[in-house]
């Protein structure tokens, strides 16, 4: 059998292994985060969030047809698309590794010996499968996200340039360069991460054309590659659209032509210029020019996939982010305008003084006949700036983090050295190297590690080494050893990869440099370029998988390092076999064995059930206000794909500030009638009433919300304030608001049952909780004023408190949602979570809600485990309310339901708190056996956690994880009091003894 056939079989073997793995561990339905939006948008060909992924939508839509009309299987088959794309990535990675290996050890024209074939195939298998089983890549491979297809594009592009290199001396070899250009263009419609391969591709081309380069020329090529990357990312993707927008503005506003005329002329000029240039390059035999122009054309061919979004925006689909129907909206869309800018090389610190505001450009929107001004683009002028600003965000939570992490006081002004220290320590160390070590050394748990410290960190499994970083490891607690993400690779994949990198640089500096360039650009360079703020909504390791891909190449080449250095005394064939086997066991096999359980989503469907729960717990024709990704995107999926509760109108408050989103809310969607919004488009169009600040007019009494709405919408100058530049703006004159209530109207609409008529308030009175009103809040006020209780109003319970606009005392929990009810506030309720609507809450938890198999699932990701605590708290609230009302029979049913559906395993310390309150309810129900059993189980967990923290404190001679220690000690103390109060004296004394023992151990390190 010849080498080519063996290489082909080896690649497809890797594909089969990877595809089988991903399909077996596949999420069976929708996942959390962006997946729900991508699935819904692909199924109905809608417009996802900026900067868009049209290629993903088209491919996923194709795979959805495999469901054969079964809407419950559509998400599954879209997940399969990710699995197969990821397996394809492994296929091309195998061929990339074997190509690099063959090029390094086999001379041109030389016959390939058996031992070299064994080594090459062993390298391909070890490297490709190591990446297949790497933590971050595996996570994205089993859900319908963009990163699987993005990785496939990266793999094909890198393989394609190596294919060109191997045939560069042959006629028509340049077709591979054009193939690379087209795939790269298509990848723009997936994710722009693929563009970061451009520098590596340019160096492959340069080294092929210049076998003996000088360092000076290498440096020049490096800067040229950066320039080319910038031209593609900004010139082709953004400035090309910006130029088309300027053409259209001139033709519409100056010459009086129709919308799109300028765009059409610009397209004709662009196409004509490219055609002329290509023809000229052929006639004049300008090969380099011809190649550049063809490369550009094929990039643009691929980029043209974005036409899908413009076409679909014309149809006004339910999900229509930014509404890119015209060139200016489309420009805003591809520019990611809604996410703002971040300083990169020079800019402000978080506490730099703002001394002025300067205009940086005009914003435009489409009017009836012309483009109209939508305001100006502006930015602050700061009194102090610094090079390499890394700590720049002035959001309170970010400022607090910067100060705590860096140890700054309130007066400290960060210097260049401070910013660099933060970049290397946090942005690079904590937020990149930690992810890198997760993938190739091991991982402690699945907790969020963005704050530093013990949770979410990496470890190796070699306890003496881990103890140096993390403290004593002899008594590891359940939060680690029972966490399925407790993966120990003992440094082996890292060591193999480092051996491969050293071997590669020794044997072929050029190729090693290319791989190294790709490693840096898709890793550290992204860290520097993105300049991310701390405390992101989730871990961002998926952004760096290109870097891990490059390192996996070196894991494969580690086979040759082992063969040459560790097994050099054996015969070549035996050395090749042993090196391949060692590399396979040290990397992919151990990674697969350790990682299977925490990547297996096949028996959990939490995201699906939670999304259905949000909708099904709403009354008919309800308005449901959501805020975050995980209480919005899965809900969109449930409505748009499975057609669950199409009568409910879902309103995402974080998008409600955009005019295009309000437009959608004023239209009928599915079976939901338009929202009761009386705002006219000219009152909320972009650039109008974007933000209206609070100015205290010293109004003592509460003002009717209708009057406040009229003031905020008034065009009368008397209702506005004059700014320094002479412009006039509406303001909020008071925060003391009220909404009069008609009891008969409330009863007639069924908002409040007749038996509770006496509880209806004459008016709802509250204090607005923010210092400004956005147009989204304005639209919310409009709905409250004009809804007249005809449609039930809900807010999801997981959103930030400020999104409730101060109406907390009128929001009653009915499970995952809080319903707005005009009831007289109960002064006995001190905490918002005690304000519940018992009847619907009981029905939802007992009869309506699905629980995603959280009781028996082999693994729950972090979001799912958080949902366990959230559901537990709902049961606790219901139990407490039923017991207080004396409904003991119902209480016992609820307690039994809790035991049936909620896991007994502790996923976090938050669940300790929830379990404690459930145990208290069991004692109140005189269910002593189950209560005592739960107390013992909880105390055992807490004791093990405290023992470990005491071990770590003693080994480091300082208190470890002070917040955790205080939390666990507090609840252990509470358990002592609880068991004592319910006459469980023996258990109480035992718990007290445990508590005192911990106090003794922690006392030397206590500060208060």
């Amino acid at each position: 059998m010849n080498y080519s056939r063996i290489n082909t079989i080896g690649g497809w073997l890797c594909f089969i292994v990877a595809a089988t793995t991903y399909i077996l561990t596949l999420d069976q339905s929708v996942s959390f985060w962006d997946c729900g939006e991508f699935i819904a948008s692909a199924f109905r060909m809608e417009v996802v969030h900026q900067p868009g992924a049209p290629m993903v939508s088209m491919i996923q839509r194709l795979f959805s047809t495999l469901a054969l009309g079964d809407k419950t299987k559509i998400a599954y088959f879209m997940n399969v698309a990710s699995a197969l794309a990821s397996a394809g990535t492994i296929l091309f990675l195998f061929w990339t590794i074997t190509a690099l290996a063959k090029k390094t050890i086999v001379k041109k024209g030389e016959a390939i010996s058996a031992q070299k074939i064994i080594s090459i195939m062993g390298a391909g298998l070890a490297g490709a499968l190591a990446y297949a089983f790497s933590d971050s890549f595996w996570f994205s491979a089993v859900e319908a996200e963009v990163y699987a297809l993005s990785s496939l594009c990266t793999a094909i592009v890198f393989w394609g340039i190596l294919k060109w290199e191997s045939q560069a001396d042959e006629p028509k070899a340049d077709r591979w360069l054009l193939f690379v250009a087209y795939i790269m263009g298509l990848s723009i419609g997936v994710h722009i991460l693929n563009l970061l391969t451009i520098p590596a591709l340019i160096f492959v081309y340069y080294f092929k054309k210049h076998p003996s380069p000088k360092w000076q020329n290498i440096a020049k090529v490096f800067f040229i590659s950066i320039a080319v990357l910038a031209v593609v990312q900004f010139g082709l993707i953004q400035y090309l659209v910006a130029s088309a927008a300027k053409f259209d503005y001139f033709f519409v506003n100056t010459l009086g032509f129709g919308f799109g005329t300028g765009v059409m002329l610009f397209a004709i000029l662009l196409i004509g210029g490219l055609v002329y240039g290509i023809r000229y390059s052929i006639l004049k035999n300008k090969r380099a020019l011809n190649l550049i122009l063809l490369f550009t054309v094929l990039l643009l061919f691929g980029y043209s996939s974005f036409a899908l979004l413009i076409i679909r925006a014309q149809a006004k689909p339910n999900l229509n982010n930014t509404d890119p129907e015209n060139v200016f909206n489309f420009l805003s869309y591809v520019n990611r305008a809604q996410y703002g800018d971040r300083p990169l090389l020079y800019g402000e610190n978080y506490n730099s003084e703002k001394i002025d505001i300067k205009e940086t450009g005009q914003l435009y929107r489409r009017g009836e006949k012309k483009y109209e001004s939508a305001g100006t683009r502006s930015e602050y002028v700061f009194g102090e700036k610094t090079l390499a600003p890394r700590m720049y965000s002035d959001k309170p939570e970010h400022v607090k983090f910067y100060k705590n992490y860096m140890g700054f006081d309130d007066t400290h002004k960060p210097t260049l050295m401070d910013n660099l220290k933060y970049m290397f320590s946090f942005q690079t160390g904590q937020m990149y190297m930690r992810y890198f070590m997760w993938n190739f050394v091991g991982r402690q748990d699945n907790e969020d590690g963005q704050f530093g410290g013990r949770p979410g960190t990496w470890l190796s499994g070699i306890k003496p080494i881990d103890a140096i970083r993390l403290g004593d490891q002899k008594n590891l607690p359940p939060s680690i050893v029972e966490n399925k993400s407790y993966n120990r690779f003992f440094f082996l994949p890292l060591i193999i990869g480092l051996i491969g990198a050293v071997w590669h640089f020794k044997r072929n500096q050029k190729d090693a440099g290319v791989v190294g360039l790709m490693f840096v650009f898709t890793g550290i360079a992204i860290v520097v370029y993105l300049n991310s703020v701390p405390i992101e909504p989730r871990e961002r390791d998926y952004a760096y998988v290109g870097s891990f891909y490059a390192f996996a190449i070196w894991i494969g080449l580690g086979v040759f390092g082992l063969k040459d250095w560790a097994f050099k005394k054996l015969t070549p064939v035996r050395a090749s076999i042993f090196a391949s086997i060692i590399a396979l066991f040290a990397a992919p096999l151990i990674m697969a064995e350790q990682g299977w359980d925490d990547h297996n989503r096949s028996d959990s469907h939490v995201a699906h059930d939670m999304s259905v729960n949000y909708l099904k717990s709403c009354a008919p024709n309800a308005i449901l206000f959501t805020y975050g990704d995980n209480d919005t995107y899965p809900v969109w999926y449930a409505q748009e794909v499975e057609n669950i509760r199409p009568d409910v109108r879902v309103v995402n408050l974080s998008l409600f500030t955009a005019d295009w989103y309000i437009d959608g809310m004023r239209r009928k969607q599915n079976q939901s009638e338009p929202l009761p919004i009386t705002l006219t488009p000219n009152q909320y169009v972009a650039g109008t009433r974007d933000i209206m600040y609070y100015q205290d007019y010293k109004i003592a009494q509460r003002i009717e919300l209708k009057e406040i709405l009229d003031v905020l919408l008034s065009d009368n100058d008397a209702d506005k304030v004059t700014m320094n530049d002479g412009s006039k703006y509406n303001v909020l004159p008071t925060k003391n608001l009220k909404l009069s209530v008609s009891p008969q109207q409330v009863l007639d609409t069924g908002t409040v049952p007749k038996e509770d008529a006496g509880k209806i308030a004459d008016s709802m009175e509250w204090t607005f909780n923010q210092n400004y009103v956005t147009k989204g809040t304005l639209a919310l006020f409009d709905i409250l004023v004009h809804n007249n209780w005809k449609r039930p109003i809900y807010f999801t319970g997981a959103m930030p408190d400020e999104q409730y606009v101060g109406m907390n005392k009128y929001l009653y929990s009915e499970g995952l949602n809080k319903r707005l009810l005009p009831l007289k506030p109960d002064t006995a309720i001190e905490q918002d979570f005690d304000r519940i609507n018992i009847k619907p809450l009981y029905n939802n938890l007992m009869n309506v809600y699905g629980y995603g198999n959280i009781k028996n699932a082999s693994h729950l990701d972090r979001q799912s485990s958080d949902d366990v605590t959230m559901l537990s708290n709902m049961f606790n609230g219901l139990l407490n309310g039923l017991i207080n009302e004396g409904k003991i029979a119902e209480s016992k049913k609820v307690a039994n339901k809790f035991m049936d559906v909620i896991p007994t395993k502790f996923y976090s310390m938050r669940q300790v708190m929830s379990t404690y309150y459930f145990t208290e309810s069991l004692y109140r129900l005189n269910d002593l056996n189950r209560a005592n059993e739960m107390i013992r189980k909880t105390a055992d967990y807490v004791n093990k956690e405290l023992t470990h923290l005491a071990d770590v404190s003693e080994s480091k001679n300082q208190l470890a994880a002070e917040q955790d220690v205080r939390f666990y000690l507090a609840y252990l103390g509470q358990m002592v009091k609880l068991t004592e109060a319910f006459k469980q004296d023996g258990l109480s004394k035992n718990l007290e003894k445990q508590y005192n023992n911990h106090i003794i151990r922690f006392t030397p390190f206590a500060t208060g």
Side-chain angles (χ1 to χ4, degrees):
M1 188 177 292
N2 61 28
Y3 170 83
S4 179
R5 183 172 296 179
I6 294 173
N7 190 40
T8 301
I9 292 173
W12 285 106
L13 176 63
C14 286
F15 176 89
I16 292 170
V17 170
T20 302
T21 297
Y22 301 146
I23 289 173
L24 289 176
T25 58
L26 202 66
D27 200 318
Q28 303 297 293
S29 185
V30 66
S31 304
F32 284 114
W33 302 109
D34 296 351
C35 298
E37 183 195 15
F38 282 122
I39 296 171
S41 297
F43 180 64
R44 289 198 172 186
M45 287 286 102
E46 297 171 325
V47 183
V48 300
H49 65 269
Q50 300 174 356
M55 283 303 304
V56 176
S57 292
M58 287 187 272
I59 291 171
Q60 287 182 338
R61 182 67 180 90
L62 180 65
F63 271 82
S64 72
T65 61
L66 298 175
L68 301 178
D70 185 350
K71 292 182 177 180
T72 64
K73 293 295 184 182
I74 286 170
Y76 172 80
F77 283 106
M78 289 190 185
N79 292 340
V80 169
S82 285
L84 295 179
S86 299
T89 304
I90 304 307
L91 169 74
F92 283 99
L93 175 56
F94 175 90
W95 287 336
T96 297
I97 294 171
T98 57
L100 289 169
K102 179 186 175 187
K103 178 185 174 184
T104 303
I105 69 168
V106 180
K107 296 179 182 179
K108 191 171 183 179
E110 176 188 355
I112 307 178
S113 64
Q115 63 90 6
K116 287 184 177 180
I117 291 177
I118 293 171
S119 298
I120 293 171
M121 295 303 118
L125 289 169
L129 293 179
Y131 188 61
F133 299 124
S134 62
D135 181 77
S136 301
F137 184 72
W138 197 343
F139 184 90
S140 297
V142 293
E143 63 181 20
E145 250 279 16
V146 300
Y147 299 104
L149 199 58
S150 175
S151 294
L152 176 60
C153 290
T154 299
I156 294 174
V157 162
F158 199 68
W159 170 82
I161 195 66
L162 294 178
K163 195 74 173 176
W164 168 83
E165 185 190 34
S166 69
Q167 302 178 14
D169 299 328
E170 300 176 8
K172 300 182 180 180
D174 286 352
R175 69 181 186 270
W176 287 106
L177 293 177
L178 302 181
F179 169 77
V180 165
Y182 184 59
I183 296 298
M184 191 170 288
L186 290 176
S187 77
I188 297 171
V190 177
H191 198 284
I192 60 173
L193 277 174
N194 181 263
L195 299 181
L196 293 171
T197 60
I198 287 176
L201 304 184
I202 289 175
F203 268 96
V204 171
Y205 184 89
Y206 174 72
F207 287 144
K208 184 64 180 179
K209 297 298 183 180
H210 300 84
S212 302
K214 296 180 180 180
W215 282 107
Q216 299 93 318
N217 292 333
I218 290 175
K220 290 179 183 178
V221 173
F222 176 78
F223 288 111
I224 290 172
S225 69
I226 302 295
V228 173
L229 175 60
V231 167
V232 173
Q233 181 171 348
F234 299 108
L236 291 183
I237 296 178
Q238 296 179 15
Y239 294 144
L240 204 66
V241 180
S243 299
K246 290 178 180 178
F247 261 74
D248 211 46
Y249 181 87
F250 175 75
F251 273 80
V252 173
N253 285 39
T254 304
L255 302 182
F257 287 92
F259 291 108
T261 307
V263 175
M264 186 176 297
L265 179 63
F266 178 80
I268 292 171
L269 291 175
L270 177 64
I271 294 169
L274 289 170
V275 170
Y276 174 80
I278 293 170
R279 186 171 181 273
Y280 173 83
S281 67
I282 294 172
L283 293 175
K284 299 296 184 181
N285 198 28
K286 303 284 187 180
R287 185 175 179 277
L289 177 62
N290 180 262
L291 196 58
I292 290 170
L293 292 173
L294 288 174
F295 203 99
T296 303
V297 167
L298 288 166
L299 270 174
L300 291 175
F301 274 173
Y303 185 29
S304 67
S305 64
F306 276 86
L308 169 74
L309 303 183
I310 299 172
I311 294 167
R312 291 301 298 154
Q314 302 288 337
K316 304 300 179 189
N318 292 345
L319 308 181
N320 188 24
N321 201 297
T322 312
D323 188 18
E325 65 167 0
N326 63 73
V327 67
F328 280 101
N329 283 11
F330 183 64
L331 177 61
S332 173
Y333 187 83
V334 297
N335 280 350
R336 298 166 55 91
Q338 75 180 45
Y339 299 116
D341 296 322
R342 296 173 179 180
L344 182 58
L345 299 178
Y346 185 69
E348 70 278 6
N349 287 311
Y350 63 85
N351 55 1
S352 295
E353 182 184 1
K354 298 172 182 174
I355 59 175
D356 198 5
I357 297 178
K358 67 176 182 180
E359 293 184 5
T360 59
Q362 286 287 326
L363 299 173
Y364 296 99
R365 60 173 178 257
R366 177 172 172 167
E368 289 188 11
K369 295 183 178 180
K370 292 186 176 183
Y371 289 111
E372 300 172 352
S373 173
T376 59
R377 189 182 297 109
S378 61
E379 62 181 31
Y380 286 109
V381 177
F382 294 91
E384 316 94 18
K385 290 189 176 184
T386 182
L387 289 171
R390 302 282 109 183
M391 296 177 284
Y392 57 88
S393 172
D394 61 357
K395 289 186 176 180
E397 64 269 27
H398 296 157
V399 173
K400 181 180 179 181
F401 180 87
Y402 295 142
K403 291 178 179 178
N404 290 341
Y405 189 84
M406 298 297 292
F408 294 157
D409 59 30
D410 291 341
T411 62
H412 184 81
K413 298 284 186 179
T415 63
L416 170 61
M417 294 307 298
D418 290 331
N419 278 284
L420 291 177
K421 182 180 178 182
Y422 176 79
M423 181 181 74
F424 287 115
S425 175
F426 182 76
Q427 290 182 322
T428 304
Q430 184 69 12
M431 301 308 291
Y432 170 74
M433 284 306 301
R434 177 168 59 94
Y435 299 147
F436 178 81
M437 301 297 269
W438 274 3
N439 283 271
F440 303 113
V441 174
R443 183 173 179 174
Q444 180 174 264
D445 52 42
N446 64 342
E447 288 297 305
D448 192 330
Q450 298 185 74
F451 294 92
R454 183 177 69 90
T457 191
W458 64 271
L459 51 65
S460 66
I462 303 174
K463 290 189 177 182
I465 295 178
D466 293 334
I468 295 173
R469 291 179 51 250
L470 304 173
D472 194 307
Q473 299 284 294
K474 66 176 179 288
N475 293 308
L476 291 176
S479 61
I480 296 177
V481 297
E482 294 180 9
N483 193 307
K484 295 297 176 65
S485 294
Y486 178 45
N487 297 332
R488 292 142 293 163
F489 305 149
F490 310 105
F491 286 101
L492 294 175
L494 176 65
I495 292 170
I496 299 295
L498 292 176
I499 290 172
V502 172
W503 179 88
H504 203 198
F505 274 100
K506 280 180 173 288
R507 295 293 296 269
N508 191 331
Q509 288 186 355
K510 294 176 187 176
D511 284 357
V514 168
V515 175
L517 197 64
M518 185 173 172
F519 176 75
V520 170
F521 264 81
T522 54
I524 301 298
I526 294 181
V527 173
V528 175
Y529 175 74
L530 291 180
N531 196 9
S532 299
V533 295
I535 320 175
E536 295 273 18
R538 61 183 290 199
E539 299 276 23
R540 300 293 192 185
D541 54 305
Y542 52 78
Y544 308 116
V545 292
S547 179
F548 308 152
Y549 179 93
F551 190 78
I553 293 174
W554 282 331
I555 289 179
L557 298 181
V559 168
F560 296 98
L562 289 173
K563 173 179 173 291
D564 289 352
W565 301 327
F567 301 111
K568 60 183 178 181
K569 293 185 179 180
L570 298 178
T571 64
V573 171
R574 288 187 177 182
S576 299
I577 293 173
F578 275 105
S580 299
I581 291 173
I582 293 296
L584 284 167
F585 273 93
L589 289 178
I590 193 173
M591 294 166 74
E593 186 275 330
Q594 289 285 303
W596 188 281
D597 53 4
D598 55 300
H599 293 91
N600 183 10
R601 306 192 202 177
S602 61
D603 58 358
S604 171
H605 40 89
V606 181
H608 175 273
D609 282 8
M610 293 296 279
S611 65
V612 173
N613 293 344
Y614 276 117
L615 291 168
K616 285 191 173 181
S617 54
C618 291
N621 301 309
I623 301 169
L624 173 61
F625 290 104
T626 67
Y627 182 75
D629 293 357
N630 287 333
D631 63 1
T632 303
Y633 293 157
V635 175
W636 283 352
Y637 157 80
Q639 274 199 328
E640 298 293 288
V641 179
E642 295 195 19
N643 200 36
I644 293 170
R645 291 301 305 275
D647 60 302
V648 175
R649 177 59 65 95
V650 179
V651 185
N652 183 273
L653 290 174
S654 55
L655 296 176
F656 213 22
T657 57
D659 57 350
W660 56 266
Y661 192 73
I662 298 175
D663 285 342
M665 294 298 104
R666 296 176 70 239
R667 293 193 294 267
K668 183 176 181 177
Q669 292 184 1
N670 302 322
Q671 295 176 18
S672 169
E673 294 300 319
L675 290 183
I677 296 176
T678 63
L679 297 174
T680 58
N682 66 320
Q683 291 176 318
Y684 64 81
V685 72
T688 303
R689 295 183 176 83
D690 290 334
I691 188 166
M692 293 163 285
Y693 290 98
Y694 164 65
Q695 185 164 326
D696 191 357
Y697 276 56
K698 307 298 181 182
I699 302 173
Q701 71 273 24
R702 295 190 177 275
I703 304 300
E704 193 69 44
L705 188 60
K706 175 67 169 63
E707 296 179 32
I708 293 294
L709 187 65
D710 290 340
V711 169
L712 293 173
L713 293 175
S714 174
D715 290 323
N716 189 339
D717 287 349
D719 293 322
K720 300 181 180 182
V721 297
T722 304
M723 310 302 288
N724 292 334
D725 61 358
S727 59
K728 297 179 182 293
Y729 287 91
N730 298 84
V731 294
L732 177 68
T734 181
K735 292 185 179 182
N736 299 318
L737 310 177
K738 74 173 183 179
L739 182 66
S740 295
V741 177
S742 167
Q744 190 60 48
Q745 195 175 47
V746 170
L747 292 172
D748 290 345
T749 58
T751 304
V752 175
K754 292 181 180 179
E755 59 266 28
D756 291 333
K759 298 179 181 180
I760 300 174
D762 293 330
S763 67
M764 294 169 54
E765 300 180 351
W766 73 95
T767 301
F768 184 63
N769 61 0
Q770 298 179 52
N771 291 320
Y772 56 86
V773 173
T774 66
K775 68 178 64 176
T777 312
L778 188 66
L780 172 60
F781 286 170
D782 194 9
I783 292 170
L784 292 174
V785 168
H786 296 102
N787 183 48
N788 296 320
W789 305 104
K790 293 178 181 177
R791 298 177 71 169
I793 294 177
Y794 295 86
F795 292 77
T796 59
M799 67 176 61
D801 188 69
E802 63 266 18
Q803 297 300 321
Y804 300 132
V805 299
M807 296 192 299
N808 302 57
K809 59 187 176 183
Y810 300 105
L811 293 172
Y812 290 78
S813 173
E814 296 185 356
L816 291 170
N817 303 327
K818 295 182 176 184
R819 184 168 182 177
L820 184 66
L821 294 174
L823 303 179
K824 298 172 184 176
D826 187 345
T827 56
I829 295 177
E830 297 180 357
Q831 301 291 335
D832 287 341
F833 56 74
D834 289 328
R835 193 175 294 104
I836 61 175
N837 198 1
I838 289 183
K839 286 184 179 179
L841 178 57
Y842 179 89
N843 182 57
N844 286 333
L845 290 178
M846 298 295 289
N847 304 316
V848 176
Y849 282 1
Y851 294 92
N853 197 34
I854 56 176
K855 177 80 171 182
N856 303 307
S858 59
H859 173 67
L860 298 179
D861 59 31
R862 184 172 177 271
Q863 179 60 45
S864 298
S865 63
D866 285 347
D867 288 342
V868 170
T869 303
M870 184 165 59
L871 290 166
S872 299
N873 291 337
M874 292 175 201
F875 275 101
N876 287 331
L878 177 59
L879 260 177
N880 190 56
L882 288 171
I883 294 172
N884 289 342
E885 290 186 357
K887 297 178 179 178
I888 304 304
E890 290 91 336
S891 300
K892 290 181 177 179
K893 291 180 181 178
V894 171
N896 290 335
K897 183 75 170 183
F898 178 99
M899 300 298 289
D900 287 341
V901 299
I902 301 298
T904 56
K905 174 184 175 181
F906 293 100
Y907 285 95
S908 66
M909 64 183 188
R910 296 180 296 278
Q911 203 173 340
V912 170
M913 176 173 61
S914 178
T915 303
Y916 167 83
Y917 288 111
F918 178 72
T919 306
E920 182 180 27
S921 295
L922 289 180
Y923 277 126
R924 293 177 67 189
L925 290 171
N926 202 34
D927 193 345
L928 300 182
N929 290 334
R930 285 201 297 190
N932 288 340
E933 180 185 354
M934 191 160 283
I935 280 285
R936 292 189 186 96
K937 186 178 181 66
T938 307
D940 179 65
Y941 178 88
V942 169
N943 279 320
K944 289 176 179 177
E945 296 293 323
L946 286 171
T947 297
H948 172 66
L949 293 174
D951 291 343
V952 173
S953 299
E954 289 169 356
S955 66
K956 289 186 169 289
N957 198 30
Q958 65 181 39
L959 185 60
E962 179 177 353
Q963 183 178 354
D964 293 5
V965 170
R966 291 184 180 278
F967 177 91
Y968 286 127
L969 282 174
Y971 275 92
L972 188 58
Q974 288 290 92
M975 285 186 273
V976 173
K977 295 178 182 178
L978 181 64
T979 50
E980 182 181 19
F982 285 94
K983 310 300 182 185
Q984 306 302 301
D985 296 333
L987 180 56
S988 181
K989 289 179 180 178
N990 187 37
L991 292 172
E992 185 176 13
K993 181 180 178 181
Q994 296 169 10
Y995 177 83
N996 291 332
N997 288 339
H998 290 303
I999 290 292
I1000 292 170
R1001 291 194 69 184
F1002 284 111
T1003 295
F1005 314 105
T1007 57

